[in-house]
Each structure stands twice: as structure tokens, then as C-alpha cells.
Amino acid sequence: DIQVTQSPSSLSASVGDRVTFSCRASQSISTYLNWYQQKPGKAPKLLIYAASSLQSGVPSRFSGSGSGTDFTLTISSLQPEDFATYYCQQSYSTPITFGQGTRLEIK
Amino acid sequence: QVQLVQSGAEVKKPGASVKVSCKASGDTFTNYYIHWVRQAPGQGPEWMGIINPGGYRMTYAPKFQGRVTMTRDTSTSTVYLQLSSLRSEDTAVYYCAGVSSAAAAGTPPDYWGQGTLVTVSS
């Protein structure tokens, strides 16, 4: 199985900050890396697919980059509704695997 | 686009089986692959498997092989997840999630059901 490891496990930031989340795969996955946002009691919401493609309807302050084994999700200017947990997911091969998540908290 | 509505919460005893349904509406049901993902309390999501639009090809995560069965009924636009030999560690919210068959391979699901809580307890 391909392991995906996220860092940090939690992050404190303020409204208006620029924040970056990292995800590392245990082997090269090209650009088969996706990012989800999840709020308590809700299903995950797809933000970015194929490493850098913005899902329809997602604000442009979200962006993704990377290829191979190292990937980044960036929020350019945090909004109050962005405080949530973020997961990366590799879809290069089955079993599809998720990272353990980064919890974004209000400073 | 498709809307996915799942069946209600279940409480099961260890060793029993559970069958969760996921009913599609809004778009042609047979245009979508359906994934099943579960999430234990306080944990990250865990992928369980996928069923193809025709319902004749399934890929299961090795962890669940032998205990999981995914089926689909095109007449009712419903997909089912059955998990047998339940244990306490199977307590989780189970989600179905769809992705269009027209999407490129590896495209993640972008339509999710609301989730079904399955509690396994004696």
C-alpha cells in the first residue's frame, strides 16, 4: 500500500493568514494526489484533484502543487469558514489511501 | 450531477452483518463509479472499495477482502455495502461517494452521501 503522511498534524492560524499543508507519499504517485476539507459531522469535501486542479465551486484562495512524492495545499488568505481538518488522498493505485489529517485551528 | 442518500444508523452485535444502502438521484445512475469510505470516531477516512457503473466489477481494499460485498441495483438506482463478521473496530460512519465514469482514471469522488453511523456493541 502507498502511505501518505501529512504534516503538521495541527496548525493554529489567524484570519487573513497564508497557510501551507504538506503531504508526502511513500513512492512516486505522479500527480494523483487530492485534497479534502472536512468539518465536524460532515462528509469530506473535495477541494483539489490531480495535485493542482481546483474543484468546481471551490474558492480560488485554495491552491495545490507538487508531483512525485511531495505535495502542498495552500490557502492564500484564511477565512473563518476555512477552519477544519484537511486530508490528502492518493488515487494512483488501490487501495486508495488517505493521510492522517491536519487540523487547522483558530489562533 | 448526482445526489446520494444513505440509509439510517444501525446498531449491531459483534459477529453480525450490516447492509448499508446508497440511493442515487438526479443523474443517470449508471454513469457513476461508487466508492465506499468509512471513518472511525476521531480518525481519518479509510477507503473500502469501489464498484463500477455496471455493477460487475468491484475492487476491495485488502483489509476488507472476504468480509465486504458491494452490489448495485440499477432498477432502483441503489448501491449496497455489506460488511460481515462485525467487530467493535468497525464502529464508524460509512460514506458512499460517486465519480463520473467520464472522468479520467484516478479522479476522486466529488459527490458524497450524508454518511451512515454503524455502531458495533454487545
Side-chain angles (χ1 to χ4, degrees):
Chain A
D1 299 4
I2 296 175
Q3 309 302 316
V4 285
T5 303
Q6 292 186 243
S7 61
S9 57
S10 64
L11 180 58
S12 295
S14 302
V15 173
D17 284 353
R18 178 185 180 92
V19 296
T20 299
F21 307 88
S22 295
C23 181
R24 174 166 288 179
S26 60
Q27 67 182 74
S28 177
I29 57 171
S30 184
T31 55
Y32 289 92
L33 193 285
N34 315 301
W35 290 96
Y36 289 86
Q37 176 194 69
Q38 189 176 31
K39 297 181 178 179
K42 299 294 187 182
K45 174 187 176 183
L46 182 64
L47 300 176
I48 300 286
Y49 63 96
S52 60
S53 295
L54 190 67
Q55 176 67 7
S56 176
V58 174
S60 59
R61 63 181 181 272
F62 291 92
S63 64
S65 64
S67 66
T69 60
D70 292 304
F71 302 87
T72 299
L73 172 69
T74 299
I75 308 175
S76 60
S77 179
L78 272 175
Q79 298 302 300
E81 60 269 29
D82 298 338
F83 292 94
T85 300
Y86 292 82
Y87 294 98
C88 60
Q89 175 209 51
Q90 68 80 19
S91 54
Y92 177 80
S93 66
T94 59
I96 291 170
T97 47
F98 290 82
Q100 79 281 15
T102 295
R103 183 176 178 182
L104 179 59
E105 301 172 323
I106 301 173
K107 184 182 286 184
Chain B
Q1 56 185 11
V2 67
Q3 291 82 45
L4 302 173
V5 178
Q6 299 181 223
S7 50
E10 302 262 12
V11 179
K12 296 292 183 181
K13 292 192 182 302
S17 296
V18 68
K19 192 170 187 178
V20 179
S21 69
C22 171
K23 185 174 176 59
S25 64
D27 196 358
T28 305
F29 175 64
T30 51
N31 286 346
Y32 290 84
Y33 287 84
I34 300 294
H35 295 251
W36 286 94
V37 174
R38 76 177 188 180
Q39 190 167 27
Q43 303 298 310
E46 181 176 33
W47 185 80
M48 300 182 70
I50 185 173
I51 185 166
N52 79 329
Y56 55 83
R57 185 167 63 230
M58 291 72 70
T59 301
Y60 300 137
K63 174 177 179 176
F64 301 103
Q65 199 82 33
R67 286 207 300 144
V68 67
T69 305
M70 297 177 188
T71 56
R72 68 195 292 164
D73 182 344
T74 54
S75 68
T76 60
S77 300
T78 303
V79 177
Y80 298 93
L81 169 76
Q82 183 164 350
L83 188 64
S84 61
S85 303
L86 289 169
R87 34 210 188 229
S88 59
E89 310 89 89
D90 294 317
T91 294
V93 176
Y94 289 75
Y95 294 101
C96 61
V99 57
S100 170
S101 60
T107 300
D110 48 354
Y111 301 102
W112 290 66
Q114 82 279 17
T116 297
L117 175 63
V118 175
T119 302
V120 183
S121 175
S122 55

Coordinates of all heavy atoms in Angstrom, one line a residue, chain A residues 1 32 34 36 38 42-44 46 49 55 87 89 91 94-96 98-100, chain B residues 35 37 39 43-47 59 61-62 95 105-110 112-113:
Chain A
D1 N 0.8 -1.2 0.0 CA 0.0 0.0 0.0 C 0.9 1.2 0.0 O 1.9 1.3 0.6 CB -0.9 0.0 1.2 CG -1.9 -1.1 1.4 OD1 -1.8 -2.0 0.5 OD2 -2.7 -1.1 2.3
Y32 N -1.3 12.1 -8.8 CA -2.6 11.5 -8.4 C -2.8 11.8 -6.9 O -2.9 10.9 -6.1 CB -2.6 10.0 -8.7 CG -2.7 9.7 -10.1 CD1 -1.6 9.5 -10.9 CD2 -4.0 9.6 -10.7 CE1 -1.7 9.2 -12.3 CE2 -4.1 9.3 -12.1 CZ -3.0 9.1 -12.8 OH -3.1 8.8 -14.2
N34 N -5.0 14.2 -4.1 CA -6.2 15.0 -3.9 C -6.3 15.6 -2.5 O -5.7 15.0 -1.6 CB -7.4 14.2 -4.2 CG -7.3 13.3 -5.5 OD1 -7.1 13.9 -6.6 ND2 -7.3 12.0 -5.3
Y36 N -8.9 17.1 0.5 CA -10.3 17.3 1.0 C -10.3 18.2 2.3 O -9.3 18.2 3.1 CB -10.9 15.9 1.4 CG -11.2 15.0 0.3 CD1 -10.2 14.2 -0.3 CD2 -12.5 15.0 -0.3 CE1 -10.5 13.3 -1.3 CE2 -12.8 14.1 -1.3 CZ -11.8 13.3 -1.8 OH -12.1 12.4 -2.9
Q38 N -12.7 18.7 5.7 CA -13.8 18.1 6.5 C -14.1 18.9 7.7 O -13.2 19.2 8.5 CB -13.5 16.7 6.8 CG -14.8 15.9 7.4 CD -14.5 14.5 7.7 OE1 -13.4 14.1 8.0 NE2 -15.5 13.7 7.6
K42 N -19.7 16.3 9.0 CA -20.0 16.4 7.6 C -19.1 15.4 6.8 O -18.0 15.0 7.3 CB -19.7 17.8 7.1 CG -20.6 18.8 7.8 CD -22.0 18.7 7.4 CE -22.9 19.8 8.0 NZ -24.3 19.6 7.7
A43 N -19.5 15.1 5.6 CA -18.7 14.3 4.7 C -17.5 15.2 4.2 O -17.6 16.4 4.1 CB -19.5 13.9 3.5
P44 N -16.4 14.5 3.8 CA -15.3 15.3 3.2 C -15.7 16.0 2.0 O -16.6 15.5 1.2 CB -14.3 14.2 2.9 CG -14.6 13.1 3.9 CD -16.1 13.1 4.0
L46 N -14.3 17.7 -1.6 CA -13.1 17.7 -2.5 C -12.8 19.2 -2.8 O -13.6 20.0 -3.3 CB -13.5 17.0 -3.7 CG -12.4 16.9 -4.8 CD1 -11.2 16.1 -4.3 CD2 -12.9 16.2 -6.1
Y49 N -8.0 18.3 -7.0 CA -7.7 17.0 -7.5 C -6.5 17.0 -8.5 O -6.2 18.1 -9.0 CB -9.0 16.4 -8.2 CG -9.5 17.1 -9.4 CD1 -9.1 16.7 -10.7 CD2 -10.3 18.2 -9.3 CE1 -9.5 17.4 -11.8 CE2 -10.7 18.9 -10.4 CZ -10.3 18.5 -11.6 OH -10.8 19.2 -12.7
Q55 N -11.3 22.1 -7.7 CA -12.7 21.6 -7.9 C -13.6 22.7 -8.2 O -13.5 23.8 -7.6 CB -13.1 20.7 -6.7 CG -14.5 20.2 -6.8 CD -14.7 19.1 -7.8 OE1 -13.8 18.7 -8.5 NE2 -16.0 18.7 -8.0
Y87 N -7.4 16.7 4.6 CA -6.8 15.4 4.3 C -6.3 15.3 2.9 O -7.0 15.8 2.0 CB -7.9 14.3 4.4 CG -8.4 14.1 5.8 CD1 -9.6 14.6 6.2 CD2 -7.7 13.3 6.8 CE1 -10.1 14.4 7.5 CE2 -8.2 13.1 8.1 CZ -9.4 13.7 8.4 OH -9.9 13.5 9.7
Q89 N -5.1 12.6 -0.2 CA -5.5 11.2 -0.6 C -4.8 10.9 -1.9 O -4.8 11.7 -2.8 CB -7.0 11.2 -0.8 CG -7.6 9.9 -1.4 CD -8.8 10.1 -2.2 OE1 -8.9 11.0 -3.1 NE2 -9.9 9.4 -1.9
S91 N -4.7 8.6 -5.3 CA -5.6 7.8 -6.1 C -4.7 7.2 -7.3 O -5.3 6.9 -8.3 CB -6.8 8.6 -6.6 OG -6.3 9.8 -7.3
T94 N -4.8 1.3 -6.1 CA -5.6 0.8 -5.0 C -4.8 -0.1 -4.1 O -3.8 -0.7 -4.6 CB -6.8 0.0 -5.5 OG1 -6.3 -1.1 -6.3 CG2 -7.8 0.8 -6.3
P95 N -5.0 -0.1 -2.8 CA -6.1 0.6 -2.1 C -5.7 2.1 -2.0 O -4.6 2.5 -1.7 CB -6.1 0.0 -0.7 CG -4.7 -0.5 -0.5 CD -4.2 -0.9 -1.8
I96 N -6.7 2.9 -2.4 CA -6.6 4.4 -2.2 C -6.4 4.6 -0.7 O -7.0 4.0 0.1 CB -7.9 5.0 -2.7 CG1 -8.0 4.9 -4.2 CG2 -8.0 6.5 -2.3 CD1 -9.4 5.3 -4.8
F98 N -5.6 7.6 2.5 CA -5.7 9.0 3.0 C -4.5 9.2 4.0 O -4.1 8.3 4.7 CB -7.0 9.2 3.7 CG -8.2 9.2 2.9 CD1 -8.8 8.0 2.5 CD2 -8.8 10.4 2.5 CE1 -10.0 8.0 1.7 CE2 -9.9 10.5 1.7 CZ -10.5 9.3 1.3
G99 N -4.1 10.5 4.1 CA -3.3 10.9 5.2 C -4.1 11.0 6.5 O -5.3 10.8 6.5
Q100 N -3.3 11.2 7.6 CA -4.0 11.2 8.9 C -4.6 12.6 9.2 O -5.3 12.7 10.2 CB -3.0 10.8 9.9 CG -2.0 12.0 10.4 CD -0.9 12.2 9.4 OE1 -0.9 11.7 8.3 NE2 0.1 12.9 9.9
Chain B
H35 N -17.6 4.7 -4.7 CA -16.7 4.3 -3.7 C -17.4 4.2 -2.4 O -18.4 4.9 -2.1 CB -15.6 5.4 -3.5 CG -14.7 5.7 -4.7 ND1 -13.4 5.3 -4.7 CD2 -15.0 6.3 -5.9 CE1 -12.9 5.7 -5.8 NE2 -13.8 6.3 -6.6
V37 N -16.2 4.6 1.7 CA -15.2 5.1 2.6 C -15.8 5.1 4.0 O -16.9 5.5 4.2 CB -14.8 6.6 2.2 CG1 -13.8 7.2 3.2 CG2 -14.2 6.6 0.8
Q39 N -15.1 6.1 8.3 CA -14.4 7.0 9.2 C -14.7 6.6 10.6 O -15.9 6.9 11.1 CB -14.6 8.4 8.9 CG -13.7 9.4 9.6 CD -13.8 10.8 9.0 OE1 -14.9 11.2 8.5 NE2 -12.8 11.6 9.1
Q43 N -10.9 9.5 13.8 CA -9.9 9.0 12.8 C -10.0 9.6 11.4 O -11.1 10.2 11.1 CB -9.9 7.5 12.7 CG -9.8 6.8 14.0 CD -8.4 7.0 14.7 OE1 -7.4 6.9 14.0 NE2 -8.4 7.4 15.9
G44 N -9.1 9.4 10.6 CA -9.2 9.9 9.2 C -10.0 8.9 8.4 O -10.3 7.8 8.8
P45 N -10.4 9.3 7.2 CA -11.1 8.4 6.3 C -10.3 7.2 5.9 O -9.1 7.2 5.8 CB -11.5 9.3 5.1 CG -11.2 10.7 5.5 CD -10.1 10.6 6.5
E46 N -11.1 6.1 5.6 CA -10.4 4.8 5.2 C -11.2 4.3 4.0 O -12.4 4.1 4.1 CB -10.4 3.9 6.3 CG -9.8 2.5 6.0 CD -9.8 1.6 7.2 OE1 -10.7 1.7 8.1 OE2 -8.8 0.8 7.3
W47 N -10.5 4.1 2.9 CA -11.2 3.6 1.7 C -11.4 2.1 1.8 O -10.5 1.3 2.1 CB -10.2 3.9 0.5 CG -10.8 3.6 -0.9 CD1 -11.7 4.3 -1.6 CD2 -10.5 2.4 -1.7 NE1 -11.9 3.7 -2.8 CE2 -11.2 2.5 -2.9 CE3 -9.6 1.3 -1.5 CZ2 -11.1 1.6 -3.9 CZ3 -9.5 0.4 -2.5 CH2 -10.3 0.5 -3.7
T59 N -13.5 -3.6 -6.8 CA -12.2 -3.7 -6.2 C -12.3 -3.3 -4.7 O -12.8 -2.3 -4.4 CB -11.2 -2.7 -6.9 OG1 -11.2 -2.9 -8.3 CG2 -9.8 -2.8 -6.3
A61 N -10.5 -3.1 -0.8 CA -9.2 -2.9 -0.1 C -8.9 -4.3 0.5 O -9.7 -4.9 1.1 CB -9.3 -1.8 1.0
P62 N -7.6 -4.7 0.5 CA -7.2 -6.0 1.0 C -7.6 -6.2 2.5 O -8.0 -7.3 2.9 CB -5.7 -5.9 0.9 CG -5.4 -5.1 -0.3 CD -6.5 -4.0 -0.2
Y95 N -19.5 6.1 4.3 CA -19.9 7.0 3.3 C -19.9 6.3 1.9 O -18.9 5.6 1.6 CB -19.0 8.2 3.2 CG -19.0 9.2 4.4 CD1 -18.0 9.1 5.3 CD2 -20.0 10.2 4.5 CE1 -17.9 10.0 6.4 CE2 -19.9 11.1 5.5 CZ -18.9 11.0 6.5 OH -18.9 11.9 7.5
A105 N -9.1 8.3 -15.3 CA -8.8 7.4 -14.2 C -8.0 8.1 -13.1 O -7.2 8.9 -13.3 CB -7.9 6.3 -14.8
G106 N -8.4 7.7 -11.9 CA -7.8 8.3 -10.7 C -8.5 9.5 -10.2 O -8.0 10.1 -9.2
T107 N -9.5 10.0 -10.9 CA -10.3 11.1 -10.5 C -11.0 10.8 -9.2 O -11.7 9.7 -9.1 CB -11.3 11.6 -11.5 OG1 -10.5 12.0 -12.7 CG2 -12.0 12.8 -11.0
P108 N -10.9 11.6 -8.1 CA -11.5 11.2 -6.9 C -13.0 11.5 -6.9 O -13.5 12.3 -7.7 CB -10.8 12.1 -5.9 CG -10.5 13.3 -6.7 CD -10.1 12.8 -8.0
P109 N -13.8 10.8 -6.0 CA -15.2 11.1 -6.0 C -15.5 12.5 -5.5 O -14.8 13.0 -4.6 CB -15.7 10.1 -5.0 CG -14.6 9.7 -4.1 CD -13.4 9.9 -5.0
D110 N -16.5 13.2 -6.1 CA -16.8 14.5 -5.7 C -18.3 14.6 -5.2 O -18.7 15.7 -4.8 CB -16.5 15.5 -6.8 CG -17.1 15.1 -8.2 OD1 -17.6 13.9 -8.3 OD2 -17.0 15.8 -9.1
W112 N -20.8 13.0 -2.4 CA -20.8 12.2 -1.2 C -22.2 12.0 -0.6 O -23.0 13.0 -0.6 CB -19.9 12.7 -0.2 CG -18.4 12.6 -0.6 CD1 -17.8 13.3 -1.6 CD2 -17.4 11.9 0.1 NE1 -16.5 12.9 -1.7 CE2 -16.2 12.1 -0.6 CE3 -17.4 11.0 1.2 CZ2 -15.0 11.4 -0.3 CZ3 -16.3 10.4 1.5 CH2 -15.1 10.6 0.8
G113 N -22.5 10.9 -0.1 CA -23.7 10.7 0.7 C -23.5 11.4 2.1 O -22.4 11.8 2.4

